[in-house]
Amino acid sequence: GVLGTSITASAGIGTSDFGTGNRCCSSGNEIFAFNSSGDMYRMGISSVQSKVLIKSSSRPVKLRSPGCTANGTHVYVVNGIQPVLLGSTSNVFHRYNRVKDTWDVLANAPVNTSTSEIAIDTNSNDSIYYTSGTSFYRYNISTNTWSAISSSHGLNLGVHALVYHNSRIYLASSNVL
C-alpha cells in the first residue's frame, strides 16, 4: 500500500497476481514490482496518486523472488525461482530499458540462487553490487562482467536487503545491519 492505502491494479490485473515471491525497486518517479508469476508492473508517481499498477513488458524468463535495482534508464533483475517448479533456481541476469521497453540478456550471475539482492552504484552508475549466501560480487555495467569482492560480509544470508547510498553499501538480514 501507499501511505497506508491499498493500490488498485489496472484492468486485467487482480490481487491474486501478487503473493509470496514479490520483489520491488524504484528509481526517480517509478516503482517496479515483480509478482509471484515473474511479471513486471510499473507505477509512476501520477499512478501512485491514483494508486494504479500497470503491467509492463515481461522479463524474457518468468521467475519469482528476483533481486532487482534501477537507475534512470534501466531496471536490472537477477536470479529467481521458477513459479511452477518451486526450488528450481536460476542465475539469469537481465536489464530492462525503461525508455525503449526492451529487455537485454546480460552475463549470468555468479551464483544460482533465489536469495540474492543487488544494488546499483548511484554515484557513477557503473557498478552493481550483488550478495547471496556469504558471497559478495561486483558487476561492471560497461564490460558486462562479474568479479568477486575480497571482503566478505561474513553473514550466511537467507532473505535480506541491499542498498547503495552515499558511496556505502548497506546490508540488512534478520536483526543485522
Side-chain angles (χ1 to χ4, degrees):
V2 175
L3 300 175
T5 63
S6 62
I7 296 172
T8 305
S10 62
I13 303 171
T15 55
S16 63
D17 287 326
F18 288 89
T20 59
N22 303 321
R23 296 281 183 95
C24 65
C25 60
S26 65
S27 178
N29 299 6
E30 289 188 287
I31 296 170
F32 300 89
F34 296 86
N35 72 0
S36 55
S37 298
D39 297 315
M40 184 177 82
Y41 296 82
R42 294 171 82 160
M43 185 181 346
I45 191 71
S46 61
S47 297
V48 170
Q49 292 164 352
S50 62
K51 299 172 262 168
V52 176
L53 277 173
I54 299 168
K55 190 171 183 179
S56 192
S57 176
S58 291
R59 186 178 178 196
V61 58
K62 290 188 174 191
L63 299 168
R64 69 182 227 176
S65 300
C68 58
T69 190
N71 65 7
T73 307
H74 296 100
V75 177
Y76 294 87
V77 187
V78 68
N79 295 124
I81 304 172
Q82 293 185 14
V84 178
L85 305 169
L86 292 182
S88 180
T89 59
S90 174
N91 66 339
V92 295
F93 186 39
H94 294 102
R95 174 177 57 204
Y96 173 71
N97 185 310
R98 297 167 57 184
V99 176
K100 296 178 182 177
D101 191 32
T102 58
W103 287 90
D104 297 316
V105 177
L106 303 175
N108 282 342
V111 179
N112 183 353
T113 185
S114 64
T115 56
S116 65
E117 282 295 339
I118 56 176
I120 194 163
D121 175 342
T122 53
N123 291 341
S124 62
N125 284 312
D126 64 351
S127 297
I128 293 175
Y129 296 92
Y130 171 94
T131 63
S132 179
T134 59
S135 306
F136 195 39
Y137 296 89
R138 178 184 297 122
Y139 172 77
N140 183 307
I141 293 171
S142 62
T143 63
N144 189 30
T145 57
W146 291 96
S147 59
I149 296 175
S150 60
S151 59
S152 173
H153 48 67
L155 302 171
N156 189 7
L157 301 173
V159 176
H160 62 285
L162 187 70
V163 176
Y164 183 96
H165 180 70
N166 286 341
S167 300
R168 294 180 188 245
I169 299 168
Y170 295 89
L171 172 65
S173 179
S174 299
N175 61 351
V176 177
L177 176 61

